[in-house]
Amino acid sequence: MNAPMSDDDAELERLLAEVSPDELGRDAVREAHRQLEKDLLRLADPLPPADFLTQVMAKVEAEPRRVSNAELRSATVITLVALAASIGAFVSSGASANGVAVSLARTFVSAREVLVGFGSGLAAVWRTAGLPLSVVLAVLVMVTLVGFRRLLTPMNAKAVS
Amino acid sequence: MLPSLSMSLGTMTADAEQPWAQEVRRARKGDSSAFAALVRGLQRPVFGLCLRLLRTEAEATEVAQETFLRAYQNLERFDETRPFDLWVLTIARNLCLDILRRRQKVQTEDLEPHALTFASSEPNSEEKAIDNQQRQSLEDAMGTLSADDREVLALYYVQKRTTKEIAVIMGVAPGTIMARLFRAREKLRTRMMAAERGAA
């Protein structure tokens, strides 16, 4: 329950004196306030709409949860441990800086071959079947992607929008 | 209402575990049922405060929902040693004050208070009807007060908060609350007297 009014008697007397200079008037105000307090204490908070909780939870479900500091710390630790382990494995297998450079150059060469091959393939499609085949393939890919997207959309997304 | 809400009324112990602590911890780990329990326990005081400050049901509903969403988004920042209900009520209050400030700035809102009916679930006998009428006239008179006065009266008398709790929510010194309450009551008394004289 609320703190007893007697603790603030001096302050209340000062405030009462502001309202009414004479004792009789102060008594009347005091009594009116007492009655008002009784009436105010009978008031209650209104109930929110019936679907309030559902609406709040739908909004909460639609909201991506913020990454916590603990999760961030764990992710950093995992990344650093994985990096340290891979460097350790790399060093322990006897690889040197020269070896790394050679593998990197080999990757570039093979990537160039892949790109040239892809370009030749596209040129061949264009020359043989031409535009209609390309359009059909593009439409097929788009329909498949849209289908996948519809399948993966969560059910509650509709309730929120 | 959750039992934990009534436990939080009038008590502000920092050393003992707060009544909401378990639900908050579970909600932080992504347990939506724990957060739903928190919303269920606080929806009425939060909506009530929003409605008394904003005076429109649609806006109060919107802001109360936004309050819980903000609370969810910032759960990590909540200090578990402090009362969760006061934290949420402070968010609600700040959102309401933003809207009230915007209203004043734009000045498109009419200055007359909205006629709100605070529904009662009590049986509809003649005595209850008179009682409801008295309550409604008190609510109407409250509606004519400033947002600050409405807020302090609602928190102290309707939600039965202590002056210390109100001071936390309003971000003022606890010593000023009793004076604010007195001034709000006095304004309410004069408004009600004027209304009675007008009706007579």
Side-chain angles (χ1 to χ4, degrees):
Chain A
M1 199 53 208
N2 299 320
M5 294 283 278
S6 57
D7 292 349
D8 302 280
D9 272 354
E11 173 74 355
L12 285 178
E13 283 306 315
R14 193 185 62 76
L15 291 164
L16 271 168
E18 276 178 23
V19 176
S20 176
D22 63 293
E23 188 57 42
L24 268 174
R26 281 200 290 274
D27 280 346
V29 173
R30 224 180 262 126
E31 184 50 39
H33 276 233
R34 250 195 295 275
Q35 188 55 48
L36 209 51
E37 283 198 298
K38 263 192 214 167
D39 293 341
L40 282 164
L41 283 166
R42 284 160 57 216
L43 297 180
D45 273 329
L47 285 168
D51 63 343
F52 185 85
L53 181 65
T54 320
Q55 289 287 322
V56 171
M57 291 316 290
K59 284 184 180 179
V60 163
E61 295 293 333
E63 187 70 17
R65 202 169 67 83
R66 284 193 182 177
V67 181
S68 71
N69 290 339
E71 286 169 331
L72 267 178
R73 275 194 296 274
S74 308
T76 312
V77 168
I78 290 168
T79 310
L80 289 176
V81 166
L83 196 66
S86 58
I87 290 171
F90 185 70
V91 171
S92 63
S93 66
S96 62
N98 279 349
V100 175
V102 169
S103 345
L104 208 63
R106 203 173 289 148
T107 311
F108 274 118
V109 170
S110 48
R112 188 170 167 269
E113 280 170 6
V114 168
L115 276 176
V116 169
F118 189 69
S120 313
L122 278 179
V125 165
W126 185 253
R127 273 197 306 271
T128 54
L131 194 64
L133 183 65
S134 310
V135 170
V136 168
L137 276 174
V139 168
L140 194 67
V141 169
M142 286 300 289
V143 167
T144 314
L145 284 175
V146 169
F148 271 125
R149 203 175 159 216
R150 280 178 74 95
L151 276 174
L152 293 172
T153 305
M155 291 295 281
N156 61 7
K158 278 180 188 170
V160 177
S161 59
Chain B
M1 184 190 287
L2 283 178
S4 47
L5 175 61
S6 52
M7 279 172 69
S8 76
L9 297 176
T11 55
M12 284 211 12
T13 47
D15 45 349
E17 187 175 71
Q18 292 295 329
W20 312 96
Q22 281 192 349
E23 279 100 342
V24 171
R25 247 174 262 141
R26 279 169 47 215
R28 273 178 176 166
K29 285 176 187 163
D31 183 347
S32 59
S33 68
F35 190 73
L38 292 169
V39 176
R40 210 174 291 121
L42 281 172
Q43 58 181 349
R44 197 168 176 177
V46 168
F47 175 72
L49 181 66
C50 292
L51 189 59
R52 284 209 159 77
L53 284 174
L54 300 172
R55 308 288 300 159
T56 66
E57 203 167 326
E59 261 185 327
T61 307
E62 186 64 34
V63 172
Q65 287 178 359
E66 180 65 22
T67 299
F68 286 112
L69 190 61
R70 294 268 178 107
Y72 178 78
Q73 288 169 334
N74 293 291
L75 264 184
E76 285 299 322
R77 288 164 61 186
F78 167 63
D79 176 4
E80 273 185 44
T81 59
R82 304 187 69 194
F84 182 73
D85 50 349
L86 298 192
W87 182 64
V88 175
L89 281 169
T90 309
I91 298 174
R93 176 183 189 265
N94 290 338
L95 288 174
C96 289
L97 293 186
D98 280 349
I99 288 181
L100 291 172
R101 268 193 290 269
R102 237 176 291 151
R103 269 189 203 168
Q104 275 183 340
K105 222 181 256 179
V106 178
Q107 288 187 335
T108 52
E109 198 74 22
D110 56 344
L111 295 171
E112 288 298 312
H114 294 262
L116 267 180
T117 307
F118 288 81
S120 170
S121 56
E122 288 169 353
N124 210 5
S125 67
E126 195 181 336
E127 201 175 304
K128 298 284 183 200
I130 294 166
D131 207 34
N132 285 345
Q133 207 178 336
Q134 282 174 344
R135 268 183 229 179
Q136 192 56 52
S137 61
L138 187 60
E139 292 279 9
D140 292 345
M142 256 177 96
T144 64
L145 299 178
S146 69
D148 278 350
D149 292 333
R150 290 201 301 271
E151 184 183 22
V152 77
L153 289 175
L155 289 170
Y156 191 78
Y157 293 109
V158 183
Q159 299 199 2
K160 319 286 189 287
R161 301 270 165 195
T162 64
T163 50
K164 274 185 187 172
E165 287 177 318
I166 298 170
V168 170
I169 294 166
M170 295 179 77
V172 295
T176 62
I177 301 297
M178 286 311 283
R180 282 193 186 206
L181 275 168
F182 178 87
R183 292 205 174 92
R185 270 198 320 264
E186 183 54 22
K187 280 182 206 164
L188 192 59
R189 183 180 73 88
T190 49
R191 300 283 163 93
M192 287 191 84
M193 274 169 61
E196 275 169 25
R197 257 186 248 123

